[in-house]
Amino acid sequence: MTPRILSPLSLSTLCLAIATCLTACSKPNNTPNELSNSAATTEVTVQLRVLETTDLHANIMDYNYYTGSTDATIGLARTASLIAAARAEVQNTVLVDNGDLIQGSPLGDYVAYKGLAEGEVHPVMQAMNSLNYDVATIGNHEFNFGLDFMYQTLAGANFPYISANVYCEAEQCREGVKRGDHLYPPYLIKKTAVTDSAGNTQHINIGYIGFVPPQILQWDKQHLQGEVRVASILDTAQQLVPEMKAKGADLVIILAHSGLGQVTATPDPQAEHLAYALTQVPQIDAVLSGHSHSLFPDARYQDLPNVDINHGLINGIPTVIPGRWGDHLGVVDFTLKQHGAGWQVKSARASALPVFDNSSNHALVEPHPGIVAAIAEGHQGTIAFMQRPIGVAASDMYSFLAQVQDDPTVQIVADAQRARVATLLPPELQSLPLLSAASPFKAGGRRSNSSDAEQYVQVAKGELSFRNAADLYLYPNTLVAVKATGAEIKDWLECAANQFNQIDLSSSEPQQLINTAHATYNFDVINGISYQIDVSQPAKFNQRCQLVNAEASRIVNLSYTDATGKVFSGAAFASKHFLVATNNYRAFTGQFAGTGSGKVVLEAPDTNREALVDFIAKQSNYDAASNSYLGAVEPAADNNWQLMPLQSAVKLDIRFQTQDSAIAESFVKTQQFWPMTKLSVLPSGFAEYRIDLQ
């Protein structure tokens, strides 16, 4: 099915065009002067459509490599059909990508694992090249596999890359780029041929400028320290946009790999999310955003100041965030008019077009055959890559209950991290208690659609492959250990506990337990200690670990028991020092208490996933002589954390949602820590359960 994409031509403009045509037809014998006067009073306009992809994360095929099945809700193969339809609707289009392109799916892992031969083009770039992109910018995840791999990958693009706020810090970063230079050109002013409303060819100087969060220096410190410098997104835009206009840019289009961010007149220039702030920078004509995996325009933002959801405008500037993994295409439609020797915006609107209709649960487009052909070899290579055996599991690992009780999919990651770090500690750190922090990466997302309903780890017992390890640990993070006090660990857990809504003990009305605004990857569980979470108390921190209630305390009965059986709690726990195995993203951002570059005491060369694969292999104990496994990994949750029992004079009705499937229902019945009752099935693919915490 080909989607219908509305033409940007407004009704009033259409009527004017028809009236002009009728007038011209009724006066066939105009004199040259009359024709000249008519042309002088007719406004010349151009309809220009800007198309954006972002946060594809190597999801090129509409395929789930973890389940081995088609997924019609994602993939550039589907988005490409939207692109073709959008181009067919209008005469003038340009296509851009906003980063986070080469990492995030097994395809990205496969190519990074095998490497690229000299002159080899990354499968992602093969697909992108077939779509004739005009320009692209770099996302933060482009740096995950190291600078050399990024340089080699981007060299395969037949379209230019730009990045305004990343600079070379080394003596030489790549050919022609030395210390102090931009790593890639900061912006591009492209003279673009277009057809105007009279059918004539015109040229518009379209300026593109790209940005990435400065936080890449923390997230990928092991790759970037001493190699690059990153400036503020906002400061750089304020400096370079006037320069672009002075050099003749008729339009300035921002490619901001950055979410909306705070709505304030005085934004933090070093912030990660600054799209809203960029709409307030003079001389900017559109903000094409990403990074947050959000959707804009969307009704959830309708109450923000100076936001027009119907037209996709923020502070009068068209702004779009087209989701993630190719589930939407960003569209900005401009009507431009001649202004002196150049062009200016007469009107504009932004929208995000989906590839899948969640309300009716059906695909809006089919995969584009050109993309399917371009990616065929890489796709088959990825499938084979994911099937490599690594060991055996003695029991199932499902994350259907990972947000309401201790969970085997989080437990096995924590155990693997702890085991690997223990082998790497120098003598001076070996006397400190070693803990491990892990979180559920796949636990249903924001519960918004059927795609989210598929986002659960589903690893059945039996032989395990690399596909299962990639399912258990999605990201190419590296293993890091931090040194933190017990007091810091308590606040670390207090921030994680923002995942829960506060339960009103006086109400018998239905209450949702899970705060879906809190990302599941920020629900850290710390193993090696014991604690409970009192959800009747208010949260101490918000989802970004910013203090909101200094008196609040959800983490209770927190304790550590040493090898001799001695228990540390209260003040003794708070003053004690611990090591915590975690990942580089958590360790270096400093967002959670106990983290930050000053807390890091160990940076392992291993990725967390490599540590997991090694742990599974060692536990499984493969015997080459018998061609069989002598053991198995036993991923049982140790229940070191629990929700605290609630005391109430009324019968509480506390609810949560998880996947609606036979396998999920069976898992809930057999593994529930608290009594759980299935209440209903939701159109989004989730089932709602009541959990009895009394």
Side-chain angles (χ1 to χ4, degrees):
M1 175 179 178
T2 302
R4 173 64 179 164
I5 301 176
L6 297 178
S7 166
L9 194 63
S10 68
L11 182 60
S12 60
T13 306
L14 180 61
C15 291
L16 176 60
I18 293 172
T20 302
C21 177
L22 290 175
T23 301
C25 291
S26 66
K27 297 175 65 178
N29 298 317
N30 297 79
T31 66
N33 278 342
E34 287 173 329
L35 286 171
S36 176
N37 291 336
S38 175
T41 58
T42 301
E43 184 177 66
V44 176
T45 62
V46 166
Q47 307 294 333
L48 175 67
R49 173 167 284 175
V50 182
L51 306 174
E52 178 204 8
T53 56
T54 191
D55 294 274
L56 290 171
H57 286 283
N59 287 284
I60 306 304
M61 284 296 293
D62 53 339
Y63 191 80
N64 186 324
Y65 291 101
Y66 306 113
T67 63
S69 60
T70 296
D71 184 349
T73 68
I74 64 169
L76 180 63
R78 301 265 175 174
T79 326
S81 294
L82 285 181
I83 292 169
R87 283 171 164 166
E89 285 279 328
V90 297
Q91 288 184 299
N92 309 305
T93 63
V94 294
L95 176 62
V96 305
D97 184 74
N98 202 10
D100 276 8
L101 180 65
I102 64 174
Q103 177 279 335
S105 84
L107 172 65
D109 293 334
Y110 160 63
V111 181
Y113 175 82
K114 76 176 187 64
L116 292 170
E118 183 73 25
E120 182 183 0
V121 178
H122 195 298
V124 167
M125 288 304 173
Q126 292 174 0
M128 301 282 282
N129 288 343
S130 72
L131 291 174
N132 297 318
Y133 277 78
D134 287 88
V135 67
T137 195
I138 301 168
N140 54 292
H141 284 288
E142 262 63 76
F143 298 93
N144 286 170
F145 300 123
L147 285 169
D148 288 342
F149 185 80
M150 182 182 79
Y151 297 150
Q152 192 175 8
T153 298
L154 301 194
N158 64 8
F159 48 90
Y161 264 87
I162 55 174
S163 185
N165 63 324
V166 182
Y167 297 81
C168 177
E169 188 76 356
E171 183 175 345
Q172 180 165 324
C173 289
R174 58 193 183 92
E175 187 176 353
V177 178
K178 60 184 185 301
R179 182 178 289 117
D181 293 342
H182 283 93
L183 198 63
Y184 285 89
Y187 56 79
L188 171 70
I189 300 175
K190 188 172 183 179
K191 187 175 183 180
T192 304
V194 295
T195 303
D196 67 18
S197 52
N200 298 317
T201 298
Q202 303 281 357
H203 288 88
I204 298 177
N205 293 324
I206 304 178
Y208 307 93
I209 183 169
F211 300 100
V212 71
Q215 286 75 15
I216 61 171
L217 290 178
Q218 301 165 349
W219 298 332
D220 278 302
K221 180 183 177 182
Q222 74 276 21
H223 297 311
L224 303 183
Q225 188 173 32
E227 299 292 331
V228 303
R229 174 176 64 86
V230 189
S232 155
I233 292 175
L234 194 57
D235 290 348
T236 307
Q238 291 168 339
Q239 172 193 349
L240 292 183
V241 169
E243 180 179 308
M244 294 172 68
K245 295 297 286 188
K247 290 185 177 181
D250 295 310
L251 278 180
V252 173
I253 296 174
I254 302 290
L255 307 184
H257 194 80
S258 179
L260 281 186
Q262 291 185 322
V263 179
T264 173
T266 56
D268 175 7
Q270 296 298 324
E272 174 184 350
H273 300 288
L274 281 167
Y276 188 98
L278 286 169
T279 65
Q280 299 170 312
V281 175
Q283 298 181 300
I284 284 175
D285 296 297
V287 175
L288 309 185
S289 184
H291 183 54
S292 62
H293 294 195
S294 297
L295 195 64
F296 185 90
D298 186 79
R300 80 186 81 167
Y301 301 111
Q302 63 186 358
D303 295 328
L304 294 182
N306 301 317
V307 168
D308 178 350
I309 293 299
N310 294 327
H311 295 89
L313 305 178
I314 300 179
N315 296 305
I317 302 299
T319 305
V320 64
I321 311 177
R324 85 299 187 249
W325 306 351
D327 62 358
H328 286 77
L329 174 68
V331 180
V332 176
D333 280 315
F334 287 106
T335 298
L336 308 173
K337 64 180 181 179
Q338 277 189 324
H339 180 70
W343 297 82
Q344 66 178 200
V345 177
K346 181 178 180 181
S347 64
R349 65 185 304 153
S351 57
L353 305 178
V355 302
F356 192 85
D357 184 352
N358 289 300
S359 61
S360 61
N361 198 37
H362 77 276
L364 297 175
V365 287
E366 294 301 316
H368 193 286
I371 297 295
V372 173
I375 203 73
E377 184 177 346
H379 176 56
Q380 292 303 319
T382 304
I383 291 173
F385 170 74
M386 296 291 281
Q387 292 172 345
R388 295 176 302 143
I390 60 173
V392 176
S395 57
D396 297 330
M397 290 178 281
Y398 302 132
S399 64
F400 301 125
L401 295 175
Q403 290 182 289
V404 297
Q405 66 184 47
D406 204 9
D407 175 79
T409 69
V410 177
Q411 184 76 54
I412 191 172
V413 170
D415 290 347
Q417 292 175 170
R418 198 175 182 185
R420 181 57 179 151
V421 167
T423 68
L424 300 173
L425 290 176
E428 64 271 19
L429 295 177
Q430 291 177 4
S431 62
L432 292 175
L434 177 58
L435 313 179
S436 186
S439 59
F441 292 140
K442 295 176 67 176
R446 291 185 169 90
R447 313 290 197 275
S448 60
N449 55 49
S450 58
S451 178
D452 280 350
E454 292 299 317
Q455 297 305 307
Y456 288 92
V457 177
Q458 300 183 57
V459 178
K461 65 181 179 181
E463 187 166 286
L464 301 178
S465 67
F466 190 84
R467 183 179 79 182
N468 303 130
D471 199 11
L472 288 161
Y473 204 100
L474 290 180
Y475 305 106
N477 296 340
T478 53
L479 191 57
V480 175
V482 297
K483 182 180 178 182
T485 66
E488 289 171 326
I489 285 171
K490 182 178 185 298
D491 275 349
W492 187 332
L493 293 170
E494 289 284 359
C495 180
N498 175 261
Q499 186 209 229
F500 301 103
N501 293 317
Q502 184 178 5
I503 299 301
D504 182 354
L505 297 179
S506 67
S507 173
S508 60
E509 294 297 312
Q511 301 183 67
Q512 290 295 329
L513 178 61
I514 303 301
N515 170 17
T516 55
H518 188 94
T520 59
Y521 55 74
N522 279 337
F523 178 51
D524 280 10
V525 170
I526 299 184
N527 278 268
I529 55 178
S530 299
Y531 58 97
Q532 291 180 308
I533 303 175
D534 185 354
V535 294
S536 71
Q537 297 301 307
K540 183 175 183 178
F541 300 97
N542 63 16
Q543 63 265 34
R544 300 191 64 78
C545 298
Q546 297 164 327
L547 185 67
V548 293
N549 188 335
E551 303 303 316
S553 179
R554 287 183 160 184
I555 305 301
V556 297
N557 300 323
L558 176 61
S559 67
Y560 166 73
T561 304
D562 69 13
T564 69
K566 182 178 180 180
V567 178
F568 295 80
S569 60
F573 180 91
S575 61
K576 192 170 182 62
H577 284 85
F578 298 87
L579 299 179
V580 186
T582 182
N583 63 66
N584 59 303
Y585 264 56
R586 180 67 74 239
F588 286 109
T589 57
Q591 179 175 312
F592 283 71
T595 67
S597 57
K599 295 289 185 179
V600 172
V601 294
L602 174 72
E603 295 180 63
D606 317 65
T607 67
N608 298 67
R609 190 185 297 157
E610 287 170 340
L612 176 61
V613 169
D614 182 66
F615 181 77
I616 292 171
K618 286 180 177 177
Q619 296 288 315
S620 301
N621 191 17
Y622 175 73
D623 178 57
S626 62
N627 191 29
S628 63
Y629 293 101
L630 304 181
V633 66
E634 307 222 13
D638 62 9
N639 294 314
N640 71 297
W641 76 273
Q642 304 159 12
L643 295 174
M644 184 180 177
L646 300 179
Q647 304 293 324
S648 173
V650 302
K651 182 65 176 176
L652 299 173
D653 184 0
I654 304 173
R655 302 183 179 190
F656 74 97
Q657 295 170 14
T658 191
Q659 186 185 89
D660 175 44
S661 66
I663 193 170
E665 187 169 356
S666 175
F667 186 80
V668 171
K669 286 180 179 178
T670 59
Q671 301 298 320
Q672 57 188 257
F673 184 87
W674 293 99
M676 300 176 188
T677 305
K678 188 174 183 179
L679 300 176
S680 62
V681 174
L682 307 176
S684 57
F686 289 92
E688 187 158 85
Y689 284 80
R690 179 183 293 120
I691 180 171
D692 185 0
L693 298 180
Q694 293 176 278

